[in-house]
Amino acid sequence: MKALKKISILFLILTAFIACNTKNKEDHSTHQTKESLFYTCSMDPQVKEDKPGKCPICHMELTPMKNDESAVNEIALSAQQIKLGNITTQTIAETQSSVEQSYTGVLTINQEKIKTISARAMGRIEKLYFKSVGDYIAKNQPVYQLYSEDIAIAKQDYSTAYKQLSMPGDFGKNAKTMLNVAKQKLLFFGLSNTQIESIKTSNEVSPYTTFYSTYSGTISELIATEGSYIMEGSGIIKLANLNSLWLETQVNVNYSKSMHLGQNAKVSFIDFPEKTVNARISFINPEINPDTRLLLIRMEVPNQNLLLKPGMQAMVRLTQSSLKGLFVSADAVIREENASYIWIEKRPGVFESLMVETGAETNVMIEIKSEMDPAKKVVITGAYAINSEYKFRKGSDPMEGMKM
């Protein structure tokens, strides 16, 4: 009887031990399952909660997800996900080809072809013969009339000296010297030889002088106005020679590395689709715009018949011949604000993001300037699908784990 009791007690103890051990395993398993799940939002993948509910941003129902135990910048996909995402890979090798890059730009006035008509003496502008920006002034046309006491005095000295030339002795010799001095002064003030000669025959010296343009051009700026007083050297009108225009465009700093001064370009125009002209890069701004990360490129465009107008939009095509490098599909490169990256296949079903430096670009291909392992396979289609799945699972950007 005592032996039977002992056996019963031992059986109860064993049963209790097994039950407790099983419960601990179940609790631990439940704990592990709970820890392996989190809840996120398909619209806002940065939201991660440890229990079901609604998204605090868009109020959609949260979706349960398993924690991704893969390394930073890596993601594992099933065969079905790879098929649905149309994810394909291939190794890339260095090739040699011609690359054509296209940019949009705007025609502007060639600042090197601008001339300023300035006052040669102090005085008051009595009349402007042209009063509108855009007016064309031909060479030798009158531009403005100036009232100047300095010029009037020089005119009077010239007239007096001329009248004294016929006097005998030293008077005549001194008059000749005074005549030469007065003429040089009038030439300095901007009077022509014809205007100076006319003083000899005039009965009265006028304080008003008309000045003529010494070159042709289109008025780009009116600096002075009628009735205003100006100092010697002050600008009155700016004339632009529109036979040559500038074409300015903004390019990404990564693309500008392959450009150089004198590089040939073909330019077409939205307003004249049938017209194409040849141009060359004449200026590459050494300073990058810190806000846009763009670089100013300038070309000089001939405009002999004045058909082209400042402000017109144009398309620039730059061709680089025999360019050697690694090129991938444009869809393979993910662009972020400060950098670009691609996805490579680390092993079957596992993909890793890799930051790269890009170079020349066409409509369909992008040059990779970073060193690449030739054995690695690059994702050429479906890169954005991988990127979206990564953000959805991990709630972060794959760039966060990269070294800048």
Side-chain angles (χ1 to χ4, degrees):
M1 189 68 179
K2 289 182 179 180
L4 184 59
K5 286 183 179 180
K6 288 181 180 179
I7 292 172
S8 299
I9 292 170
L10 288 172
F11 178 76
L12 291 172
I13 293 172
L14 181 61
T15 302
F17 175 77
I18 292 172
C20 290
N21 190 43
T22 302
K23 183 178 181 181
N24 287 338
K25 286 184 178 180
E26 288 177 352
D27 291 344
H28 184 63
S29 175
T30 303
H31 182 65
Q32 281 185 330
T33 303
K34 184 177 180 181
E35 285 189 340
S36 65
L37 284 177
F38 71 94
Y39 296 83
T40 186
C41 177
S42 58
M43 297 297 295
D44 302 286
Q46 70 272 21
V47 175
K48 298 179 73 173
E49 301 289 347
D50 57 0
K51 58 184 179 180
K54 291 187 176 182
C55 174
I57 299 175
C58 66
H59 306 294
M60 291 179 61
E61 290 292 336
L62 297 178
T63 304
M65 293 290 297
K66 288 184 178 181
N67 279 311
D68 195 329
E69 302 298 333
S70 58
V72 177
N73 301 334
E74 289 184 12
I75 186 170
L77 300 178
S78 65
Q80 184 179 10
Q81 287 176 314
I82 293 174
K83 184 177 180 181
L84 291 174
N86 190 30
I87 298 169
T88 60
T89 62
Q90 72 174 36
T91 56
I92 57 174
E94 194 172 56
T95 58
Q96 184 169 332
S97 59
S98 296
V99 175
E100 184 178 88
Q101 298 169 275
S102 297
Y103 306 96
T104 56
V106 177
L107 292 174
T108 63
I109 293 175
N110 186 338
Q111 298 297 316
E112 294 177 351
K113 301 293 183 179
I114 289 181
K115 302 291 186 181
T116 301
I117 297 177
S118 303
R120 303 289 290 273
M122 184 175 63
R124 181 180 71 245
I125 296 178
E126 290 296 317
K127 182 178 181 180
L128 282 175
Y129 290 88
F130 295 89
K131 301 178 182 179
S132 300
V133 172
D135 285 343
Y136 181 79
I137 300 179
K139 186 176 180 180
N140 297 324
Q141 275 192 292
V143 178
Y144 68 99
Q145 186 183 73
L146 183 72
Y147 170 83
S148 172
E149 293 182 0
D150 292 337
I151 296 178
I153 292 172
K155 284 181 177 180
Q156 187 63 54
D157 290 342
Y158 185 84
S159 177
T160 302
Y162 177 74
K163 292 175 180 178
Q164 292 179 352
L165 283 177
S166 58
M167 296 181 68
D170 291 338
F171 286 101
K173 292 180 181 179
N174 292 336
K176 187 177 181 179
T177 302
M178 289 176 58
L179 186 71
N180 289 331
V181 171
K183 183 177 181 179
Q184 292 302 316
K185 187 175 291 187
L186 290 171
L187 289 172
F188 173 78
F189 284 144
L191 277 70
S192 65
N193 285 314
T194 302
Q195 288 175 302
I196 295 173
E197 288 297 316
S198 66
I199 298 174
K200 296 178 180 179
T201 57
S202 61
N203 296 324
E204 185 177 351
V205 175
S206 173
Y208 301 99
T209 305
T210 299
F211 289 89
Y212 300 82
S213 179
T214 54
Y215 29 75
S216 303
T218 301
I219 298 177
S220 62
E221 184 180 354
L222 287 167
I223 305 172
T225 58
E226 286 186 354
S228 60
Y229 282 86
I230 55 173
M231 301 298 293
E232 180 184 345
S234 299
I236 298 173
I237 288 177
K238 286 188 177 182
L239 294 181
N241 183 349
L242 301 183
N243 287 326
S244 171
L245 297 176
W246 278 350
L247 174 58
E248 295 182 339
T249 183
Q250 305 278 344
V251 303
N252 188 293
V253 63
N254 291 329
Y255 309 154
S256 67
K257 296 175 183 177
S258 56
M259 297 179 180
H260 57 84
L261 294 176
Q263 184 175 347
N264 292 324
K266 289 186 177 181
V267 183
S268 57
F269 308 93
I270 296 176
D271 297 290
F272 304 102
E274 73 287 348
K275 184 177 178 62
T276 301
V277 298
N278 295 320
R280 290 188 177 186
I281 295 178
S282 58
F283 175 74
I284 300 176
N285 195 341
E287 183 179 1
I288 300 170
N289 187 319
D291 298 324
T292 61
R293 299 292 298 167
L294 297 177
L295 199 64
L296 174 70
I297 304 295
R298 181 185 300 146
M299 280 148 276
E300 193 167 330
V301 178
N303 186 30
Q304 298 299 328
N305 55 4
L306 303 183
L307 184 65
L308 304 176
K309 310 295 181 184
M312 280 185 176
Q313 290 187 324
M315 179 69 70
V316 183
R317 296 193 302 275
L318 292 168
T319 302
Q320 296 178 0
S321 302
S322 302
L323 186 65
K324 192 174 183 180
L326 296 172
F327 289 88
V328 298
S329 167
D331 294 333
V333 180
I334 308 294
R335 300 182 185 277
E336 298 290 349
E337 183 178 356
N338 297 320
S340 301
Y341 60 99
I342 60 176
W343 287 96
I344 60 174
E345 188 179 41
K346 191 172 184 180
R347 55 184 181 273
V350 178
F351 302 91
E352 179 185 24
S353 58
L354 178 67
M355 183 185 296
V356 292
E357 179 187 357
T358 59
E361 181 175 358
T362 68
N363 293 330
V364 294
M365 302 294 288
I366 296 179
E367 180 189 10
I368 302 299
K369 299 184 76 68
S370 305
E371 291 187 7
M372 293 282 296
D373 184 348
K376 292 290 185 181
K377 291 185 176 180
V378 177
V379 176
I380 57 173
T381 64
Y384 282 90
I386 298 177
N387 210 56
S388 298
E389 183 66 19
Y390 183 97
K391 291 181 178 180
F392 182 72
R393 285 192 196 178
K394 300 194 176 185
S396 61
D397 195 295
M399 294 290 287
E400 291 181 8
M402 292 188 178
K403 294 182 179 180
M404 299 296 290

